[in-house]
């Protein structure tokens, strides 16, 4: 078998437990790539709160310098650990690192699969693995997330703060097309659920209309709709109703945390920030959990699943599936005892998965 071309991966471990869980994910990548004769070259970047503080913090600390950004743009994928640390002002590093890449690399799809590997991991009673198997397609470049905040009369009793929920036709249409295509490819219910709050946020009439118009081109895919409040309720009541759902940036952020809990918690949920056919970014959904930093207690499964998603995006679906099978088997037979922090060490779980994929 001839060696395939080498892929260049930017690794941003980030804050808190990010670097530790990323190291375990890379351990698994290393083992599986030698097994399949794949070659990955990793370039590690230090960006995150420690780096911002070390380079001056409030006095001009560095978030993501343009030179590094230009390097990353030439790579094949980004693996991100976690961002967020109370030592920095709220949102500064999140915007400087994660949002910088989501927007700067135009990663307009945030793909968040929710899959239960063992019924014991689900907080709902009587749910089977078949009941919890869905994918969220979260729009990733618009909404209030990327509008300018404004504060009038700041600090006075007459203060008014706003940050509009802004949607473009092009931005809405491209993410919906991705979701319709994904729904067709999954070929499960062949129904795409669109989630919005157009009854209250009338600007989302654009979502209503675009869904109808784009959907008319997919006559093999049925269209379903739910308001975000009801969708949250159904996620807990009837998760088996969900297959592929498309939603806005803000609602997608919120409902996928519910999704993560259904599959066993933030210890397993991974996500892809994707521009189809181009450089994309993969990360665990969990945050940086600063209290666990450096203690070797965080669970690295979500970061490992992010590597599986990355491999799938790079067209190594069979290799990705091997990681998924290994994780699923280790959870089912109790070798990985828990998805919570502190039950087994970070490195122990990394070793377990690495050994499982090696064989
Ligand atoms: C996520 C996170 C981010 C988001 C934060 C860290 C900005 O919650 O990726 O889900 O809201 O998108
Ligand atoms: Mg979130």
């Amino acid at each position: 078998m001839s060696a395939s071309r080498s892929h260049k991966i930017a690794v941003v471990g980030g804050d808190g437990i990010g670097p530790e869980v990323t190291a375990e994910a890379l351990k698994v990548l290393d083992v599986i790539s030698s097994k399949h004769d794949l070659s990955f070259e990793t370039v590690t970047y230090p960006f995150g709160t420690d780096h911002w503080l070390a380079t001056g913090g409030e006095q001009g600390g560095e978030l993501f310098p343009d030179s590094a950004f230009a390097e990353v743009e030439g790579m094949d994928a980004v693996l991100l650990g976690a961002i967020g640390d109370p030592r920095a002002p709220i949102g500064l590093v999140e915007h400087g690192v994660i949002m910088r890449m989501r927007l700067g690399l135009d990663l307009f799809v945030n793909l968040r699969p929710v899959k239960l590997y063992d019924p014991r991991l689900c907080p709902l009673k009587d749910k089977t693995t078949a009941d919890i198997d869905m994918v969220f397609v979260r729009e990733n470049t618009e909404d209030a997330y990327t509008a300018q905040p404004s504060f009038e009369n700041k600090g006075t009793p007459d203060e008014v703060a706003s940050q509009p929920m802004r949607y473009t036709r092009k931005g809405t249409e491209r993410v919906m097309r991705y979701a319709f295509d994904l729904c067709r490819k999954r070929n499960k219910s062949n129904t795409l659920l669109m989630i919005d709050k157009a009854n209250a946020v009338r600007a989302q009439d654009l979502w209503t209309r675009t869904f109808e118009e784009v959907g008319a081109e997919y006559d093999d895919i049925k269209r379903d709709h739910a308001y975000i409040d009801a969708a949250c309720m159904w996620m807990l009541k009837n998760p088996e109703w969900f297959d592929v759902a498309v939603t806005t940036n803000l609602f997608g952020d919120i409902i996928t945390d519910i999704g993560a809990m259904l599959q066993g918690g933030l210890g397993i949920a991974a996500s892809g920030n994707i521009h189809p056919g181009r450089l994309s970014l993969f990360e665990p959904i969990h945050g940086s959990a600063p209290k666990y930093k450096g203690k070797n207690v965080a669970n690295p499964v979500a970061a490992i699943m992010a590597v599986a998603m990355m491999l799938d995006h790079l067209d190594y679906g069979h290799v990705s599936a091997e990681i998924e099978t290994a994780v699923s088997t280790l959870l089912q037979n109790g070798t990985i005892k828990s998805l919570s922090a502190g039950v087994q060490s970070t490195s122990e779980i990394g070793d377990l998965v690495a050994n499982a994929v090696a064989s």
Side-chain angles (χ1 to χ4, degrees), residues 83 94 98-99 102 110 112 138 140 145 249 253 256-257 271 283 285:
I83 295 292
E94 290 85 338
I98 303 187
M99 297 304 291
R102 285 182 182 167
N110 194 327
R112 297 190 157 184
R138 167 191 179 192
N140 213 26
Y145 269 68
N249 200 342
D253 176 48
T256 55
D257 268 25
S271 109
E283 57 174 337
I285 291 189

Side-chain angles (χ1 to χ4, degrees), residues 151-164:
F151 302 89
E152 287 165 48
N153 306 321
K154 195 167 184 174
T156 76
D158 293 321
E159 179 160 357
V160 180
S162 64
Q163 186 160 342

Side-chain angles (χ1 to χ4, degrees), residues 10-25:
V11 178
V12 183
D15 292 330
I17 59 169
E20 302 162 51
V21 295
T22 308
E24 298 310 312

Side-chain angles (χ1 to χ4, degrees), residues 183-218:
C183 191
R184 181 180 272 168
K185 192 169 142 209
R186 259 170 77 91
N187 193 21
K188 195 181 158 199
S189 69
N190 289 305
T191 302
L192 177 62
L193 175 69
M194 194 273 271
I195 303 173
D196 63 21
K197 188 68 190 174
N199 54 347
V201 181
R202 291 302 298 129
Q204 292 184 356
D205 184 54
L206 175 60
W207 275 65
T208 310
R209 283 182 279 115
T210 309
F211 190 56
E212 289 306 307
E213 286 167 30
V214 173
E217 293 174 32
Y218 292 80

